[in-house]
Amino acid sequence: MIAEMQNTLQYLKQSNAVAIFTHMKPDGDCLGSALALKLILEKYGKKVDVYGDATISDNYCFLPQIETLNHPTMQQYDLCVALDCSDRNRLGNWWSIFEKGEKTLKIDHHETNDQFAQVNFVERKGSTAEILYSLIQALSWDIDSQIATCLYAGIASDTGCFMYSSTTKQTHEIACHLMSYPIDFMKIHYYLFQRRTKEQIMLTGMALKNIEFLLDEKVAFCGIKLKEFEKLGADTHDTLGIVSMMANIDGCKIAILMSEEKQNTFLISFRTDGSVDVSKVAEKFGGGGHKMASGCKIYGTYDTVKEKLMTVCKDFVC
Ligand SMILES: [Mn+2]
C-alpha cells in the first residue's frame, strides 16, 4: 500500500504529458476528480488532456473546464490515469488510448481486483475525490478555488451530500478545508442534487402516481413504459431521483424502478432502506452495484420482467 502510494506520487510528479480518463456515464465524483487532477497538474507545469463520454448531463456544467473534455492536444502520453474506474471495461473505447501510455495509473475507491494499470492506488474511501485530496496533500501542492470546487463536487456527489454511510469525520474535515477557499457550494448542491428539468418533474409525478406496493408492501414497484416516456418527451436519463424517493417510503425494504429503454429492454434500479443487500438482488440478473443501490438490464415483455423481479425479491424480503 505504501509502495503504491509512493509510486503514485512519483508518477504524478515526474510526468509531463498526461491523459486523464473518466468512466462511461461519468458521475460527479469521476468528473470532479478528473478536472481537479487536470487543474492541479497544469498548475505545476504539465500538459493534460481529459477523455470521457461525450454525453454528459447538464448537471455538471458548473465544473470548471468541463468544456475541455475530449479536446486532445497531444498524441502521446508519458502517463495515463484512470479515475474512479473499478475495471478496464468501465473505460469503454478509451481503453485503447489508455493502454498506450508509457506509464499507467489507476486511482479508485471501489472494491475490485482488476489491477489493470502498472500502478493501482485503491483505497476504501467515500469517493475518488477524497483519495485525490490526500494525494495532493502528500505532494504539498497548493489548491485554489477551482480545484476546491471540483474536489468538493466529487466528495458531495459520492456521499449523497454527506448523507451516505461512506461519510466519515475525515470527509467533513476535508470539506471544511475546501470551504476555506471561495467556492460556491450552494451552486454545487443545486446542480448536483436539486436541479430538475420540466420533463424530469413531470415524469416523477407520473411515476409516483403509479407506484404499486407488492409482497406484503415490502416492495415498492414502478414501471415506466416506452410510450409513457415518449408522451412526456422524456427518456431513461430523466428518472433521476425517483427510485431513491420510493425507497424512503416507510416500511419499504426494496424500491424498484423498471424503465423501458427500448422495446422489450428494461433498465432496473434497486434501492433499499438498508435491510436488504440490493447488489445481491441485481447480481441475480447479471447486474451489480452497492449494498444500498444497484441495477441491471433485463430483456422480455413488461409482464414477464416484472414477474421475474418479484420472484427473486420474494426470497429477499419474505
Ligand atoms: Mn466514485
Side-chain angles (χ1 to χ4, degrees), residues 227-275:
K227 61 174 191 286
E228 293 173 313
F229 279 114
E230 285 166 355
K231 213 165 95 186
L232 294 172
D235 62 38
T236 54
H237 295 100
D238 295 316
T239 58
L240 195 75
I242 296 175
V243 71
S244 312
M245 223 182 278
M246 290 164 61
N248 288 335
I249 299 167
D250 196 23
C252 166
K253 289 179 182 295
I254 305 178
I256 305 173
L257 181 69
M258 178 174 130
S259 313
E260 192 172 15
E261 187 190 30
K262 287 181 292 200
Q263 199 167 9
N264 293 337
T265 304
F266 292 88
L267 297 179
I268 319 292
S269 298
F270 301 98
R271 295 291 184 280
T272 178
D273 62 349
S275 60

Side-chain angles (χ1 to χ4, degrees), residues 27 29 84 109-110 127-128 158:
D27 54 24
D29 180 33
D84 204 41
H109 68 125
H110 295 95
S127 59
T128 296
D158 260 22

Side-chain angles (χ1 to χ4, degrees), residues 6 20 39 52 76 127 146 155 160 190 206 222 231-232 250 262 264 272 287 297 310 315:
Q6 289 310 327
I20 297 170
L39 288 162
Q76 277 185 333
S127 59
Q146 286 203 323
I155 292 169
Y190 169 73
M206 190 212 65
C222 177
K231 213 165 95 186
L232 294 172
D250 196 23
K262 287 181 292 200
N264 293 337
T272 178
K297 195 181 259 197
M310 289 312 131
D315 294 336

Side-chain angles (χ1 to χ4, degrees), residues 20 22 26 30 47 56 69 83 95-97 105 109 114 136 152 166 181 187 234 244 267 279-280 299 301 311 313:
I20 297 170
T22 59
C30 186
K47 289 188 72 185
I56 285 171
L69 227 73
L83 291 173
W95 172 256
S96 59
I97 305 176
L105 168 65
H109 68 125
D114 189 3
I136 292 170
Y152 185 95
S166 53
Y181 294 87
K187 185 176 167 187
S244 312
L267 297 179
S279 71
K280 299 271 189 297
Y299 303 94
T301 64
T311 307
C313 283

